[in-house]
């Protein structure tokens, strides 16, 4: 019989609270059953030596550069682009272009959209909460919980969260042709097992734990673990453990429904054929992604989520540290992956934490500072456009490096197309091939520059 844990104190007590009123430490911040820590005794103010310098405050977000990045994305084919920054209580909103090409409605940071692989961080948080509750072990075989699911007993829970399982990404075959591949699955509802079976047409490689290889299959497995251990749907787990406690009113897991509820930006998929019209890809089940990429949200909710995560409100301190056991994922050593969480090292020396998402018609960046007090979520409502994909990384430079930053993907290795305060691109993004180029490995090569998405979706 599956044992169901009672909700944590943060889930029970904070459903109606805003992020600002959530306790600084959740129920996950102390070992289960431990007594509350006694308050520290008051200390007299210590004198400060004359040679001790107060750290300079971080530069303010550069909204001029932020707008320039969005305008550049529009010049490269995105119908619309927008970004919201939440910084120590201040909010900055920038938007360019349209949310709907037919009506001409302007895009807004109030619009919902499909967040793609940002879903993976939500899934990882739930899995780590289950680790905190003793229901899962990070270094325990997946097959211990899901007997016979995978062909290698050495694949652990940790390996699926840090993409070191060796499991083949089924989307590589599914989206060999961008629009036909999408239309074939737009209204299809897959079971988790069907997606795993597609992956297992290829033998897992390399050996578990030996190499990083981004694969949506890993987070389908994570979703199966969540459902097996909790005895409830992934939707219910997201809702009770993250969405309700944080008050994420615009965040939904609607799979397998095809519509985005409420106000939303439409998504537009770029065909492989040069000059072909964009395809409205808004309505889809996203069943091919499920717990790897099927959630819907908006910038305010994503900023609140990542701020809460890095601020220690969702996970016990030791498990948040496990989430941040980084391994480099690019040759320059500026991009790293932990457990369902990314770190990017920017040109100004600042590291930011979050995830990116690609689903047909939408490119998302959602990152926060180490303390969770400055966050940005940005969106371009197109996909299969490598130039836009790389350019939108410039929203991180503009947000966290501030005015005067000249950092770019070319110099930092992040693959960003940052813009200067004057609005001039600081450097050209790595060149992406034109749609329709006959290059079967073009997705793999783009993913080599920008490793946040699977090659099967990294089309140009």
């Amino acid at each position: 019989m599956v044992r169901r844990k009672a909700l944590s104190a943060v889930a029970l007590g904070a459903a109606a609270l805003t992020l600002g009123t959530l306790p600084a430490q959740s129920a996950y911040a102390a070992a289960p059953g431990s007594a509350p820590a006694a308050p520290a005794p008051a200390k007299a103010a210590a004198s400060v030596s004359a040679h001790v310098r107060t750290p300079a405050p971080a530069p303010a977000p550069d909204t001029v550069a932020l707008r320039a990045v969005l305008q550049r994305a529009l010049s490269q084919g995105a119908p619309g682009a927008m970004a919201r920054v939440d910084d120590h209580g201040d909010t900055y909103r920038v938007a360019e272009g349209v949310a709907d090409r037919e009506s001409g409605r302007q895009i807004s940071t109030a619009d919902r959209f499909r967040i793609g692989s940002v879903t993976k961080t939500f899934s990882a948080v739930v899995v780590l909460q289950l680790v905190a509750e003793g229901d899962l072990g990070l270094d325990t075989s997946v097959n211990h919980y899901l007997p016979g699911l995978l062909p290698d007993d050495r694949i652990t829970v940790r390996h699926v969260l840090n993409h070191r399982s060796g499991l083949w990404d089924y989307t590589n075959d599914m989206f060999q042709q961008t629009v036909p591949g999408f239309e074939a699955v737009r209204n299809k509802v897959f079971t988790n097992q069907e997606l795993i079976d597609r992956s297992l047409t290829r033998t897992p490689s390399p050996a578990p734990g030996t190499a990083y290889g981004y694969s949506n299959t890993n987070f389908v497995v994570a979703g199966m673990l969540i459902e097996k251990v909790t005895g409830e749907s992934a939707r219910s787990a997201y809702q009770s453990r993250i969405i309700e406690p944080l008050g994420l009113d615009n965040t939904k897991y609607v799979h397998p429904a095809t519509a985005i509820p409420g106000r939303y930006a439409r998504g537009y998929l770029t065909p492989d054929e040069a000059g072909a019209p964009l395809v409205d890809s808004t309505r889809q089940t996203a069943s091919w992604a499920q717990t790897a990429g099927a959630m819907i949200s908006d910038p305010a909710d994503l900023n609140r989520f990542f701020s809460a995560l890095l601020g220690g409100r969702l996970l016990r301190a030791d498990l948040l540290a496990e989430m941040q056991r980084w391994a480099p994922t690019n040759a320059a050593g500026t991009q790293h992956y932990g457990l369902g969480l990314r770190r990017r090292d920017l040109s100004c020396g600042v590291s930011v934490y979050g995830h990116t998402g690609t689903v047909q018609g939408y490119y998302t960046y959602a990152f926060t500072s180490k303390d969770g007090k400055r966050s940005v979520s940005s969106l371009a409502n197109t996909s299969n456009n490598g130039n836009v994909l790389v350019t939108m990384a410039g929203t991180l430079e503009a947000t966290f490096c501030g005015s005067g930053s000249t950092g770019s993907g070319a110099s930092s290795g992040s693959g960003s197309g940052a813009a200067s305060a004057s609005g001039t691109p600081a450097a050209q993004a790595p060149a992406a091939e034109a749609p329709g180029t006959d290059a079967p490995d073009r997705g793999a090569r783009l993913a080599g520059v920008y490793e946040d998405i699977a090659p099967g979706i990294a089309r140009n």
Side-chain angles (χ1 to χ4, degrees), residues 262-283:
R263 174 177 175 150
Y264 59 89
R266 304 195 74 86
Y268 296 96
L269 177 59
T270 307
D272 291 332
E273 298 75 27
L278 299 177
V279 173
D280 188 327
S281 53
T282 309
R283 295 186 69 95

Side-chain angles (χ1 to χ4, degrees), residues 182-193:
F182 167 64
E183 294 294 357
V185 301
R186 180 198 282 262
N187 296 306
K188 188 171 178 59
V189 178
F190 293 96
T191 65
N192 287 318
Q193 188 63 58

Side-chain angles (χ1 to χ4, degrees), residues 277-297:
L278 299 177
V279 173
D280 188 327
S281 53
T282 309
R283 295 186 69 95
Q284 61 165 302
T285 62
S287 191
W288 64 267
Q290 299 202 32
T291 49
M295 293 187 80
I296 292 162
S297 191

Side-chain angles (χ1 to χ4, degrees), residues 22-74:
L22 280 170
Q25 296 288 331
S26 75
Y28 295 109
S34 63
K43 293 183 179 180
S47 61
V48 179
S49 301
H51 70 277
V52 176
R53 295 181 179 179
T54 302
D62 187 344
T63 56
V64 174
L66 197 58
R67 188 174 299 279
V69 172
L70 304 185
Q71 290 173 342
R72 179 172 173 80
L74 264 62

Side-chain angles (χ1 to χ4, degrees), residues 142-143 146-152 155 160 165-171 173-174 190-204 215-225 227 287-292:
V142 168
N143 283 348
L146 299 165
L149 178 69
L150 303 179
D152 192 331
I155 298 174
V160 299
S165 67
L167 292 170
W168 171 253
D169 190 337
Y170 55 85
T171 66
D173 298 321
M174 188 177 282
F190 293 96
T191 65
N192 287 318
Q193 188 63 58
E194 285 174 329
L195 297 177
I196 298 297
D197 289 345
R198 283 176 174 248
S199 170
L200 296 182
T201 60
R202 307 285 187 97
T203 302
S215 174
N216 286 291
T217 308
N218 289 314
F219 278 80
V220 174
V221 173
M224 295 176 77
L225 287 167
E227 294 186 344
S287 191
W288 64 267
Q290 299 202 32
T291 49

Side-chain angles (χ1 to χ4, degrees), residues 158-178:
R158 185 188 300 274
H159 292 150
V160 299
L161 295 184
N162 65 14
H163 293 295
R164 291 178 178 270
S165 67
L167 292 170
W168 171 253
D169 190 337
Y170 55 85
T171 66
N172 292 331
D173 298 321
M174 188 177 282
F175 300 122
Q176 277 283 323
Q177 293 182 297
T178 298

Side-chain angles (χ1 to χ4, degrees), residues 393-412:
T395 61
L396 305 183
E397 294 278 340
T399 297
F400 295 100
C401 293
S403 179
S405 170
T406 57
S408 72
S411 61
S412 70

